[in-house]
Structures are given as C-alpha cells and as structure tokens.
C-alpha cells in the first residue's frame, strides 16, 4: 500500500495507522492521548490530519492508511485545527505552571509552543475541580490540569489490569478519579505519572523536589530486582532524584514497578564516603594497605572467605575473580537480598540484579560458590566482604562478626558495622558497567551522579588491593570495558558486550526542535 | 551580498573549495587548508577583491554538534554550514575600498589541527590566531609567535573545546578552601560558583 | 639617553605618516644587554586601564622592545555564553566594553536577530539608536577625559566625567543601571523609554556642551597638550587597515570606514550625520576625531527624537519575546510561552551569522553558531580593542616611555572587551 | 559623508605657552570663583546626609512580595533561578498541603555577592513575587555569608502585591 | 647678658617663630588649601568630613586629621641595600627648603630676617641644589625601577633648571646691584616715573615668567611633575614610600611652594614693600609691610596651585628642550639686554 505524507511516498502494510507511517518518515504529528503501549481512543483530537480520503480531518493515531492516501500534516486546515484544539484544551486549564511539577516536560507546553503560541482569547471563568488529591500511595491527582486523555485509565485497564481509574462527569466538567473506595495503589501506579502528558498526575515521591529542567539524565538499569528494567536515572544536585522507565521492548516495554522506582533511596541513606580502619577515617590508599595487611595476617589465604555483592557489575565480578584467584583466596559465599514478590508483569522474586552475571563469572573462573549461610560453618579466618544489601541471617552475622573483616560497601548496614577495614565503593548509579538479568539479557548502564566522597569503583578497588597484596604483574585497567577485554575472555556470557549507550536524553532544550527559519 | 567574490574564489580555486553558501547575508567559502594561503593572498592582492582588512579569526568546535554526525545529510547539517570536521577556523575579511565582506572557513580534523597562518598575509591576524590557539589549540603554521594570549603559559588544555570540563580548578597557586560559615574576611575564597562542591 | 634635546621623531608633520619600519617582530631584544632596562608596567599600574601588562625594555626612556600581555580580565565570556540561553548572554555583554554597555547590548541582539531572520519594530530601532549613541558619547567622554588625566590634567578629566555622569543618569533612567544595563532583548527591549526621557537627555546634552567647551579651552590649543599628543603614536593608513583597526582610531588615519555608513543597520541610513576623519593618525587626531564624533552623536540623537513615533517596542511573537505580564499572570497561554522561553530559551535556527555594529571603539562583531536550540553553540566576540592593541608594539618601538600613556589612552583599550 | 576634522596648527603666540596657560588658568579661576562666591555648580552629593535619587527603574536590592495574608507570593517555581545568568538564587520548594497554594519556598536565598543585578529574575517571575524596585542599593557586608540573604530579609523589604493572578480576570 | 648669647637666643626665637609659626603652619594649611582649592576648581566640595565637636569649618580639621592618619599608617619599607639612604631621603627633601627661609626677609630691617646675609641669593641656590639628593637617594634606595626612572628624571630636571633659575635672577641682581635679599627689596621701594613701583616684575618681566617656570620645575610640580608622573611611573621616586616618610616628601613640596613664593615676591614683587610707601619704621607700618609680604606670597602660591591644577605635564625630552633650548638662551639674552640697557642708561 502506498501513502503520501506531506508529499513523500511510503510503502506501508495494511493496518498501519497514519501516525505510525508518519513516524517512519520522521514527520512530527503532535499527540496527547496516543501512547504506543496503549490502545488508541482518539479523544484528544490533537493528531487530526487532512487526507484525501475523508471530507473531515482524521485522527492520525487511529485512522489506518488506505492505498493512495495523501496526508497533509502541515496544511493550513490542519494547522488551524490544531490551534483550535489547543485553545479548546487550554480553555479550562489552570494557570499552574509555577506550581506544576510537569512544567518542563509537559506535552501540553510543548505542543502549545510548537503549534500555537497565540495569545488567549479566554474571557470566561475557569472551571474548578479537585486539586492536590492523593489518590494512592504514590500518586497525586490534580483534576483541573487533566485534559482527559485517559492514558492513565487505559493503563490501569490494559497494562496493570487493576481498573482503579475512571472518568466521571460529562463535557468540560469531566475528570479522572478513582472508583469510590478504591485507591490507585497497584505496584505499577506511578507509570500513570510518566504517561500523563500534563501535570494532572504527579509523583508523591518526586513532588516539588526539583524542577525537571535542572535534572541531568543517565541511561541505566533498575537494581530493584533481577528483571533488569531499563531506566533513566535523573539526577541533580549530586543526588539521584528519580527513576523513570526507558523503553526496551525486550525487557520492560515502557514500564517499571513502583518498588523498583523507589529503590534509589536505599543508596542514599547511611552512605559510606570515607575509608575507615577500625572505625577511624583514613585515606583510601592507607586503608588498602591496611586491608592487605589484615588479609595476609589471616594466615592461609584460602581461609579468606570472599563474599561478592550481587549488585556488582560483571566488570566488578571479573576483577574480583582475578583478585580471588591471584591472591589464592577461598571460595565465594553468595548471599544477596532475600527473595520477594513476583508478579506476571515485571517484578521478579530474585531481587538481586546481577546474580546471573556473578555466578557466570565464578563458573568461568572456576571459583567454588557456596551459599552465604555456609560461611557460619566454613571455618574462615578472615573475610573480604562486598555489599551492604545481603539479607540478615543472625547465625551468619554472629559468625562474621568474629572474623577479621575487610568490607567494601557503598552504604552502612549490619554487615559493615564493626569492620576492621572498610572501603567505600561507588553505587551502581555512579559507575558504568553491565549486568545480566534473570532472563539472560546482558545490559549496560551508564554513570549518573558524581561519585560521593572518596568512593572508588569496585573493579578499581580489587585491582588496587591486588597490588597492595604484593601481586605486581597485573596492571590495573583504565576502564571497566578494559577489565572485561583483558581478563574476562573466559566468560562466555561476556563474549559479546553490548554497544556503548547513546547519551541519555538531557534537558528539554537539547531536545527542542529548531523554530523554522 | 556579493556573490561575485564567491564565484571568483570558486572559479579560481575550484579544487580547494569544499562548499560555498550565503546564509543570513554572509558569504562563506569553506576551503581546504592547502589553498587557504593562496586564496588569502589572492583576496588581498587582486584589485577586484582588495580584502585589505582582517576583521576576525576564530575557531569553532563541532564536537557532538546536533545533526553533525557522519550520518547527517547536508541538509541536516544546516545551511549555516558545518563542513563535517570537528574544528573549523573561521576568518572574516573586509575590503575598505570595495566595501564587501567574506567569510573563509577551514575545516580541521581533531587529529590534525594545523593550518597555515594568515599572518603571512595580514599582520592583524596575529592576535586573533594566538587566541584561537589559546582557546582551541589550533596550530597556525608560520605564525611568528604562537603563544597563549589570554591564558597563562602554564595553562593545560584549551578551554573552549567542547570536551574541556566545565567545572573544576586549574589553579596556579593552591586555593584555600574555606568553611563557608566561618570565614575569615582576610582570606579570599576564589570559589564564586555556588554550585561548586563545597 | 641619546635624545634629550632633539625630538626623536624624524617626521614632517605635514606628510602622511610613514609605514612602520619594522612591522612585526617577536621579542628579540635581550633585556640583559647592558644599558637596557626591563620594566613591567602593570598589571596593576595607574595607566593600564583594566588590567594589562606591558613588558617594556627601555634604553634610557626609549622603548627598544615591548610585549603587551593581556588576559588579566579574562572571564570566559564565550564559554559562559555557550552555557546560557540566548537571552541570558545579554547581561554578559554588558561587561565587554563596560563604558558603552548599550552598544554591546544592541550589537549582540542585532546579531541574534540576523540569525533569527526577524526585524524589530520601528520604535525599537529608534530607541536602540538613541541608547547606542548615548553609550558612545559616554565612552568617548571617558576616553577624552582619561586622556587628560593620563597627561596629568586632573581638572579637564573631571569636567569630562561630569558630563559623562549626566549621561549615565540618563542611562539609569532608561534601564535601571548605569553600567550593567542589560537593556536590549532579542526581538525588542526590556522597556520602552521612560517618561521625561527627552528632558533628562537635554539636561545631559547641555552639560556636555558646557563641559566640552571648558575641556577644549584647557587642552586643545595648549602647547603642552599639543606636544604630547601631536606626532605621537602615529600609525599610517595602510598599517591601520593591515592591523584590522576600526572605529575612531581607524578614522583618525583618514580611512572613511564607519559601519553605520558603510553597512547601515537600524535606521542609520535615515538620519544624516558625517564621519569625522583625522589627518595622519596620531594621538591628537584621535582626540579631535572623538570630540567631533560626540557632536555627530548628538546630531543623530536629535534626529531620532524627531522621527520617533509611538508604537510597540517588541515584536509580536511569543516564541521570541516574553509575553506581557498580565498575560503571564492570568492566561495559561501566556504562562506557557513565558515558561518555555525562560526554561529553554529562544530556539534560534541552526546556522551561523556574523553581526557587526559600530561600537564606541570600532566594529563590534559577534560571530555566532546556533545548533538550533535555546543555547548558543558558539558566540565569538570580535572586540575592536583586540585589533587596536595588537598594533601597540610596532607603534611604540623607538618612542618614549611617556608616549605609551597617551597612545594607550587614545586607542581606548578596554580590559573587559579585549580579554572577554 | 566624511570630512577632515579641523586640526589646529599652533601660531607663534600659542607656541610660547603663556597665553594658553593663562586661558587655562582663566577657566580654572572662573570655576573657582563661581563655586566660592557665585552660583554653585558643585556636582558632588554629600552622600550619607543627601541621598541621590534613584531612577524609578533602578535595579537594587531584591525583595519578595507578599499576599494579603502575609505569606510570600513566591511559589518556588524556580524560574528566577533558571533565568539568572549568575546562578545566585537558591530555592527549596515545600508543600503547604493546602489546595489553594500548594507550593511555597522553604528556603529562598540570594547571594548578593554573586548577583549581577541584571533584572532577569523579576522579568522571569510569573507571580509578581520577586522585584528589584526596592530603591535600596546593596549594603556592604563584613563576611561573605552575610551576602546570602534569605527569605525573611527579602520579605521584610517586600510589600503587598495586588497583581491579579490565576486567570481570575473574569 | 652676653651679647653673643643674646643674639643666638634671639636668632633661635626667630627661627622657631618663622619655621614653626610660619613655614610649618602655612605648609600644613596648604595641604588642606590645595585639596579644597582643586575641589572648587573641579566643581567638587573637597575635604569636609573631619569634625571636632560637630564643627566642620569647611574641612579645616583635615589638616590635623591628615598628619595623624599618616602617622598611624603602616610604615612599609622595601627590601633594599641602602636602608640608611632610604630613611635619609625624605629628610633631605624637607630640610633644604626649610633652610632657605634663613635668608628670607619678612619685614624691614634685621628684625624679621634670620640672617641678613649679603649674598643671600647665592646661599639659596646652594641650598636648593641640595634638594635633588632627597629625590635621588630615595629613588636609588627604593630598589624599584619606577623609582629609579623617577630619580633619573629628577636629577636631570633639577640640574637643568637650577642653571636656568640662577641665570634668570642675574638680571635682577644687575639692576638692583645687590645679592642680598633685603637689599633688593629696599631697592624696589622706589617708584618709576612716578606711577609704577620699581618692582622686578616690571623691570624684568621676562625674567619673572622664566623664573616662575624654572622654579616650579625645580619643585617638580605640574606641569613639570614628570618625576612622579603618576600615570607613567606610579609615583616616581617616592613610589616605595609610605606613612610619614611619604608625607615628608609632600611636606617638602609644600614648603618649597612657599619658599618659591617668598623668593619670587622678594625678587619681583618688592618683598614687604607696599607700593608708593617708600618708608620704614613704626609698628603699624611694619605690621602692614609684613602683611603685604604675606599677601604677595599668598598670591604667588595661588598662582602655582592654579597652574598645577590646570595643565597637563610635559614629556621628558620636551622638558629638557624647554629648559635648554628656550629658557636658558632667553635668560642669557635677558642678561645681555639688561647689561646693554644698564650700560646705556648709565
């Protein structure tokens, strides 16, 4: 089938919508209610385009292409209709940009500025609707700002299938709300905030924290479970401010779960920023030699139990494997977070993002792995401990506390308390690396916020510790990619590394289309 | 304005002209650096050209220029002209007798940032080229005295390059970091950036 | 010390000045040679306005070699501009030539408008012309007054400054600040003219005329002043052009090049004014040309007041200028436009442009590259002083130490502009 | 068109220094005698006693405007800190928990030592909250930290703003 | 009482009164007066902030406040090889002008002059020649290139103009046939042709102009202040001085202003002579004559200050040219003309 869009011809399959065809050509058609992951109700009327097949304008998101169709997306009629649609949508929109979190990433702002930019002709009093109503644990509704695109309603119907939301009233008084007695409290509720084109639904967690145009973004992977959902880490002021899902049709499509979305918080409390020897702050360099001394004084190196963190990237794991082998340490005692909730959509019971990767590295290097519980009875004399996140087992905890411990962790926890030497590591947000998800996807994440304090990436620490231990013939690599390239050839899972991530979409001004000259 | 100049250069130095355009009323010729010196000499000496006044010389770094990657078509690279290499040296010339202007551009790759110095034609290019060297690290071959001009000799790097870090310090003397709330007025904190890490 | 008694300048004052004997040389005199003395003038020296250092090698009081070292006021204007929205650059331009900020403001926005391809309203053009000419007057007055001060004439300097103060008052009424004006906006102006603006200007004009007459009486025909200025700091026409000189300094050599005439912008083609030219390009000519330009500027402003008509000062396009405040406070359309412009800046189409205007010191050019977003990809400022000061060395070789001072003044080096 | 400026050539009389010196002395003396006996042309303002009049547009110390109930009009939209070319404004937003206003600045701090007084913040304010028309120039400070002026001080200079807002034009 | 002892005591009293009561007081007032005067020329108010008990008196207290302030300033001393020379220099520039007053007659007779030396003018030349050492020592010992340049200029300038200054007065000596100041003043009491006082100003007008020019040059004040030319040499030979040492240099300058005014009024304006009153004696007349002298001195001080605040300064070679090519030949010509005239008049 042949369609012509703005004079450019395109061959499409039957059933393709005009919008999809236009996207293939790179023609921009503004939308509000359309979302590729949801059904198309065609109720915002923003995407109306002029065609030769119908006397009236057709909604591009819903109307399918017909053979010989000629579509005009920027003729005078379409443009005038867009202006009218925008004027209509803005008729009762409150003057809320100053207090609206969406300002800066608001589709309404973008579309108005790109397609209308004309003054108001509004001389009527604006409608008032409920404002700032919490409709769930994570979502706040401002009904005045709602343009009734019903994306959120459709999300609850079609994706989370929990059906909490509905549209009430008619005409200009209609707005979205929950069914009586229900709350929007499913595990995917905050996705409605992401897909809301305006500021009607805002995140309770992110509310008023920071203006979105101050945020910088980095493409990353969620660390909340082993699913490996693709996310964007938005950070500003040196801290992660929020996670947003990033589209990956193979893993998480457009969505992510609320527990994962809030998982950035666990890296913000009790952050370890300095190296400590017996609880006293020292430079990392000194702490490394102290760690080497403590590990050597444990006697037989095979009595040193290594506990990897399952938040480690594959690069870290390779570095640790090199360290374990070259220093002659004993096996790995693999702990990790306790198993949790699993559902059909995204959440996985295994809450450790890189169990698959760490195990694959251990296997490839021939390192014996035991469950962490075995450490209580292993008879180790010292331990090289990574991570703060391992589920607490009182018996293991008691046993570990007896040992001389070198702890590498980003945050403080029961496991790090009382360590003889503690080294600050970076969180995964602050490093770049790869993880292998439970489904076997090898995925890359990029560094976001600046590293805190004196913290060092784990792979770097491992190689430096190796030198402190007296193994001088291993040159520390310069980057995580080099770690895998030089030492990780033995790991079949890491044979083909994913390509480097393109830079994450930054602030809106970098995305903006230029005004036509 | 005066496409005559454009045409003259195009016809005389056809092999060295990469592209030419008039955008926003400015005539621009993108030249190969092999011919830039000849073009300059021609422009100065020819009676019909008579570009006797060097107005300006500067450089632009097009690293990560939107739409400037290799895949970008000529169209997306913009009429304003970005010739495809990382650096561009931009000359502006003026003729006080003919009252016309021209912009010459030389595209330079990151790996080879040498271009002939036009001080051999106009002495007034002297400081402008020194500034371009200082800020972008463009090496002007044949410049008699290519030193840093705005920054100090000990400065490392070329700060207007897009990959030069925006924040950070490169002090000649160590900067005393002060506790912001217990400042001694006699000491001067040179850190004026409120976003700088404390 | 060979030339106490005879004038070292072997120049017939009626002929065209000769070309420099030696046009450009890198530093080649060895300061350790016996009989030579190396003097570091600056960066903190009374005569080095702004901060500039002159590494002078003297033989007695004669300059054998010198190197002008600039950069002490370098604050990274160009990299700042790359990290600010197009509008946010306007306050940065105030600090280029801080004596005539309004000229810089006007020059910058004209360059951006060239890239945007828009034309501002007639009233806006008249007001921009008035403000630029007032700034030019203030700048010339400073140069003239400082010239007297550098030669020890404190009283004439204060007369000049007195008149300048009056113009700064006018500027303050116009835009709320005297030096850091930040007055123009892309597509318009921050404000229309205030009430009673013309009355305030007339007062300043009267003060200028009165004080200029006093300065003139005390200096122009005074032989001490004449001897210090005439035949010192000579540059020939060819050399001035060769070094990229523009503005009053170029015109003092007799070259008729003024951007306002050669390539009229705003409404400079609608007003009548003349270009004063000098005879041989010495300090005295530059002094006379500046005085004559003051009178021309007054003429231009008079005509601007005559031709100006009421009307809007901003273009009617919310994607370029901020909406009026009532629309911002009360309509969502205005609010969105306001937010978009401030969050993201004006989306200037991709391309490059070189906008040039006649600032107080000469051709002020802004070469800018836009990547099509709200922030400039590159803004390069072609500062007129930069070209002027680079010719200082060939001008001063063989002259006396004391001649640096009036020469440096009459070429009116402005640290903020040269260092950027 | 261009014309050559009249360049005086000194005559022999002027070359003898004396007459021109006397002319200069005459100008000096005229000013002296006018200022001491006649109409005073003195332009100096005796500052602490006599304050110069600032122009109505003068951009001085910032101030935060208030609503009728005395709270700040500012809703912490951060446009001023975005528009600020010197990055001198720090705002932290808070939640009133009130459906009328919702958002307010918990902290509003301007570093007067960093501020360049360009007026971009008042131009950017969509709520008539920040203004620079206080007519007060910035006081000098002993310590750098005193240059960081907070919400309370800015409110103290403020006034009631009666600008209509929020589409209630009717 | 021993007459010698009495004479010595009397001399000491005269010295104290003249130096402390007149020269120093006048110089101190001048520091204020110059600032105030220049302010009024320039349409400013000038110093007016110092106050005692709410009284400001147009800033008169500044002349007390300034020395106090200067005394308490940090006395910075550069690293130098010659600390003694460095410390000596300010005194060398303040003492010689004070010594000049030893031969200045403030009134008729021996009563109002410390030493009525017969060759008073020679004494003055001798002492004034010493003034150069203040600048040169200061410049040399400061260990600064700007100071050195200033010192070099000062040497050349003072030596050149010393000659011109001396030659200018030869005409006066020839006419009045005396080198004693008192003698010259007495001669000026006569009247020429019945209406014009026989002042040097009228008998030697060229001499007067040249003398004032070379005397101002000798004092290194504008337009001849290129030894300190602040725009070129920062502050010339006293760049490196601070506190009271700095103040001494400027005090020396002010004393020299008075000294020049005194000498010029003695030589050219008839000293203490009141025009058309060719008589001495009597308390009232003597007082009037002293006042007349002070008035003449004041007028000449005013003239110097006005010139100072009106003119730009010379360049070094122009100054030398003026001294050697114009003033010196002119004064020689003046001597010649005077001699010819005297020859034929006799």
């Amino acid at each position: 089938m042949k369609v012509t869009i703005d004079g450019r011809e395109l061959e499409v399959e039957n059933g393709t919508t005009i919008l999809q065809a236009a996207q293939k050509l790179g023609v921009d058609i503004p939308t509000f209610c359309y979302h590729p992951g949801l059904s198309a109700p065609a109720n915002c009327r923003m995407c109306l385009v002029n065609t030769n097949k119908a006397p009236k304008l057709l909604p591009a998101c819903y109307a399918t292409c017909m053979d010989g169709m000629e579509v005009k997306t920027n003729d005078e009629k379409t443009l005038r209709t867009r202006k009218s649609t925008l004027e209509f949508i803005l008729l009762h929109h409150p003057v809320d940009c100053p207090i609206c979190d969406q300002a800066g990433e608001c589709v309404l702002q973008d579309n108005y500025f790109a397609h209308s930019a004309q003054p108001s002709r509004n001389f009527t009093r604006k409608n008032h609707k409920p404002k700032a109503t919490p409709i769930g644990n994570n979502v706040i509704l401002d009904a005045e700002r709602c343009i009734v695109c019903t994306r959120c309603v459709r999300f609850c119907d079609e994706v989370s299938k929990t059906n909490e939301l509905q549209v009430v009233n008619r005409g200009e008084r209609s707005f979205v709300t929950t069914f009586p007695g229900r709350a929007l409290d499913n595990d995917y509720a905050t996705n409605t905030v992401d897909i809301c084109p305006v500021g009607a639904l805002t995140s309770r967690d992110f509310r008023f924290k920071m203006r979105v145009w101050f945020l910088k973004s980095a493409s990353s992977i969620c660390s909340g479970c082993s699913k490996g959902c693709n996310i964007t880490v938005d950070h500003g002021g040196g801290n992660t401010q929020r996670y947003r899902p990033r589209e990956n049709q193979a893993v998480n499509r457009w969505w992510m779960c609320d527990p994962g979305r809030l998982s950035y918080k666990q890296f913000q409390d009790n952050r370890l920023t300095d190296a400590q020897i017996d609880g006293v702050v020292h430079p990392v360099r000194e702490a490394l030699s102290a760690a080497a001394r403590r590990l050597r004084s444990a006697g037989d190196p095979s009595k040193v139990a290594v506990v990897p963190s399952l938040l480690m990237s594959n690069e870290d794991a390779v570095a640790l494997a090199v360290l374990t082998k070259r220093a002659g340490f004993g096996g790995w005692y693999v702990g990790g977070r306790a198993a949790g909730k699993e559902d059909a959509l995204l959440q996985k019971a295994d809450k450790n993002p890189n169990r698959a990767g760490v195990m694959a590295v251990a296997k490839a290097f021939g390192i014996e792995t035991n469950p962490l519980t075995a450490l209580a009875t292993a008879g180790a004399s010292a331990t090289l401990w990574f991570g703060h996140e391992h589920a607490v087992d009182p018996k293991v905890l008691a046993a570990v506390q007896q040992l001389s411990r070198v702890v590498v962790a980003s945050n403080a926890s029961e496991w790090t308390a009382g360590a003889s030497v503690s080294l600050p590591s970076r969180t995964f947000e602050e490093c770049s690396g790869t993880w292998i998800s439970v489904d076997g996807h090898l995925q890359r994440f990029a560094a976001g916020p600046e590293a805190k304090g004196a913290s060092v990436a784990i792979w770097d620490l491992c190689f430096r510790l190796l030198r402190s231990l007296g193994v001088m013939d291993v040159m520390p690599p310069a980057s995580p990619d080099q770690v895998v390239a030089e030492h990780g050839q033995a790991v079949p899972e890491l044979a083909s590394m994913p390509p480097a991530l393109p830079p994450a979409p930054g602030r809106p001004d970098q995305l903006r289309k230029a005004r036509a000259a | 304005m005066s496409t005559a100049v454009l045409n003259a250069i195009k016809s005389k130095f056809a092999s060295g002209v990469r592209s030419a355009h008039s955008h926003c009323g400015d005539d621009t010729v993108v030249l190969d650096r092999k011919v830039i010196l000849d073009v300059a000499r021609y422009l100065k000496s020819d009676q019909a050209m008579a570009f006797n006044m060097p107005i300006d010389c500067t450089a632009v770094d097009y690293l990560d220029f939107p739409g400037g990657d290799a895949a970008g078509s000529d169209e997306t690279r913009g009429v304003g002209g970005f010739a495809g290499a990382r650096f561009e040296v931009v000359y502006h010339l003026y003729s006080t007798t003919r009252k016309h202007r021209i912009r010459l551009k030389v595209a330079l790759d990151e790996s080879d940032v040498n271009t002939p110095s036009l001080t051999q034609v106009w002495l007034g290019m002297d400081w402008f080229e020194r500034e371009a060297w200082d800020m972008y690290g463009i090496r002007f071959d044949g410049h008699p005295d290519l030193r840093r001009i705005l920054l100090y000799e000990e400065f490392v790097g070329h700060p207007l390059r897009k990959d030069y870090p925006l924040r950070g310090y490169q002090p000649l003397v160590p900067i005393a970091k002060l506790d912001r709330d217990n400042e001694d007025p006699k000491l001067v904190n040179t850190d004026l950036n409120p976003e700088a890490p404390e | 010390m060979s030339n106490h008694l005879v004038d070292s300048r072997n120049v017939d004052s009626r002929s065209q000045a000769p070309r420099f004997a030696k046009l450009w040389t890198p530093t080649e005199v060895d300061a350790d040679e016996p009989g030579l003395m190396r003097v570091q003038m600056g960066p903190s020296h009374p005569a080095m306005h702004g901060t500039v250092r002159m590494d002078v090698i003297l033989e007695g009081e004669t300059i054998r070699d010198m190197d002008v070292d600039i950069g002490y006021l370098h604050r990274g204007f160009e990299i700042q501009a790359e990290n600010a929205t197009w509008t946010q650059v306007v306050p940065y331009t105030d600090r280029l030539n801080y004596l005539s900020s309004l000229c810089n403001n006007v020059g910058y926005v004209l360059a951006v408008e060239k890239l945007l391809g828009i034309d501002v309203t007639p009233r806006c053009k008249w007001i921009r012309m008035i403000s630029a000419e007032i700034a030019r007057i203030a700048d010339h007055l400073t140069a003239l007054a400082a010239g007297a001060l550098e030669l020890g004439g404190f009283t004439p300097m204060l007369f000049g400054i007195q008149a300048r103060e009056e113009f700064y008052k006018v500027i303050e009424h116009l835009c709320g600040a005297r030096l850091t004006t930040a007055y123009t906006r892309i597509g318009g102006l921050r404000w229309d003219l205030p009430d009673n603006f013309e009355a305030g200007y007339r007062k300043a004009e009267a003060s200028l005329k009165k004080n200029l007459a006093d300065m003139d009486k005390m200096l122009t025909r005074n032989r001490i002043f004449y001897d210090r200025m005439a035949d010192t700091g000579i540059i020939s026409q060819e050399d001035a052009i060769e070094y990229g000189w523009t503005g009053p300094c170029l015109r003092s050599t007799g070259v008729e090049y003024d951007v306002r005439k050669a390539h009229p912008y705003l409404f400079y083609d609608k007003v009548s004014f003349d270009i004063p030219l000098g005879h041989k390009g010495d300090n005295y000519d530059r002094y006379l040309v500046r005085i004559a330009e003051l009178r021309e500027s007054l003429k231009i402003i008079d005509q601007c007041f005559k031709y100006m008509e009421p009307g809007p000062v901003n273009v009617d396009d919310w994607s370029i200028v901020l909406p009026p405040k009532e629309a911002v406070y009360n309509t969502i359309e205005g609010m969105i436009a306001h937010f978009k412009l401030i969050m993201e800046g004006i989306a200037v189409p991709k391309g490059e442009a070189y906008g040039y205007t006649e600032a107080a010191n000469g051709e002020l050019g802004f070469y800018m590259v836009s990547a099509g977003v709200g922030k400039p990809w590159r803004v390069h400022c072609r500062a007129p002083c930069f070209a002027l000061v680079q010719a200082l060395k060939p001008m001063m070789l063989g002259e006396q130490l004391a001649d640096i001072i009036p020469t440096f003044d009459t070429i009116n080096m402005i640290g903020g502009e040269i260092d950027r | 068109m261009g014309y050559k400026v009249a360049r005086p050539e000194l005559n022999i009389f002027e070359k003898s220094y004396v007459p021109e010196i006397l002319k200069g002395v005459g100008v000096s003396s005229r000013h002296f005698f006018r200022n001491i006996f006649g109409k005073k042309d003195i332009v100096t303002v005796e500052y602490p006693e006599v304050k110069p009049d600032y122009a109505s547009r003068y951009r001085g110390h910032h101030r935060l405007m208030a609503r009728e109930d005395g709270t700040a009009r500012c809703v912490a939209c951060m446009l001023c800190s975005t528009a600020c070319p010197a990055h001198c404004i720090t705002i932290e937003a808070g939640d009133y928990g009130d459906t009328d206003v919702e958002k307010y600045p918990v902290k509003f701090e301007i570093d007067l030592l960093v501020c360049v007084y360009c007026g971009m913040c008042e131009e950017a304010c969509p709520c008539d909250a920040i203004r620079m028309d206080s007519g007060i120039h910035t006081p000098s400070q002993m310590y750098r930290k005193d240059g960081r002026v907070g919400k309370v001080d800015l409110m103290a200079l403020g006034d009631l703003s009666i600008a209509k807002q929020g589409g209630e034009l009717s | 009482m021993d007459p010698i002892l009495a004479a010595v005591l009397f001399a000491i009293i005269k010295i104290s009164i003249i130096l402390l009561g007149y020269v120093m007081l006048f110089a101190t007032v001048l520091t204020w007066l110059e600032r105030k005067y220049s302010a009024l020329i320039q349409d400013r108010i000038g110093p007016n902030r110092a106050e005692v008990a709410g009284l400001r008196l147009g800033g008169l207290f500044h002349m007390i406040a300034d020395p106090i302030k200067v005394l308490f300033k940090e006395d910075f001393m550069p690293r130098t090889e010659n600390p003694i020379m460095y410390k000596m220099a300010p005194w060398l520039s303040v003492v010689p002008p004070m010594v000049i007053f030893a031969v200045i007659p403030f009134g008729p007779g021996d009563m109002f002059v410390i030493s009525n030396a017969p060759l008073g003018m020679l004494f003055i030349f001798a002492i004034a020649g010493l003034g150069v050492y203040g600048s040169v020592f200061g410049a040399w010992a400061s260990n600064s290139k700007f100071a050195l340049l200033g010192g070099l200029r000062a040497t050349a300038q003072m030596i050149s103009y010393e000659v011109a200054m001396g030659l200018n007065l030869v005409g006066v000596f020839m006419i009045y046939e005396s080198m004693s100041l008192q003698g010259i003043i007495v001669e000026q009491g006569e009247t020429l042709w019945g209406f014009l006082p026989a002042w040097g100003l009228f008998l030697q007008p060229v001499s007067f102009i040249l003398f004032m020019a070379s005397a101002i040059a000798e004092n290194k004040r504008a337009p001849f202040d290129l030894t300190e030319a602040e725009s070129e040499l920062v502050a010339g030979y006293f760049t490196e001085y601070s506190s009271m040492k700095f103040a001494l240099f400027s005090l020396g300058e002010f004393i020299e202003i008075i000294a020049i005014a005194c000498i010029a009024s003695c030589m050219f304006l008839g000293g203490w002579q009141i025009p058309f009153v060719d008589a001495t004696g009597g308390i009232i007349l003597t007082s009037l004559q002293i006042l007349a002298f002070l008035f003449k001195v004041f007028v000449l001080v005013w003239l110097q200050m006005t010139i100072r605040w009106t003119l730009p300064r010379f360049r070094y070679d122009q100054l030398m040219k003026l001294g050697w090519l114009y003033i010196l030949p002119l004064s020689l010509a003046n001597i010649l003309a005077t001699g010819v005239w005297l020859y034929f008049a006799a």
Side-chain angles (χ1 to χ4, degrees), chain E residues 36-101:
Chain E
K36 197 77 183 172
Y37 180 64
S38 65
L40 289 170
I41 288 179
Q42 295 157 353
D43 298 345
R44 296 185 287 122
I45 298 175
N48 68 346
R49 291 282 118 180
E51 59 174 56
V52 173
L55 273 179
R56 283 189 171 168
L57 300 179
L60 203 57
F61 293 118
H62 273 273
M63 61 190 201
I64 301 163
D66 286 347
I68 294 173
K69 182 195 82 169
V70 156
L71 273 174
F72 282 95
K73 286 221 161 189
E74 184 190 355
D75 193 358
F76 171 82
M77 180 151 162
R79 195 179 297 154
T80 166
E81 303 281 315
N82 302 298
I84 297 172
M85 254 159 101
Y86 178 83
K87 286 174 186 156
M88 208 161 68
W91 297 104
L92 275 177
S93 69
V94 80
V95 170
M98 285 171 106
V99 174
I100 286 174
F101 287 93

Side-chain angles (χ1 to χ4, degrees), chain C residues 165-179:
Chain C
E165 281 307 287
E166 292 295 326
F167 282 96
Y168 275 161
K169 265 184 212 162
V170 173
I171 293 177
E172 187 186 334
H173 276 88
L174 183 64
C175 46
R178 293 149 53 89
L179 288 172

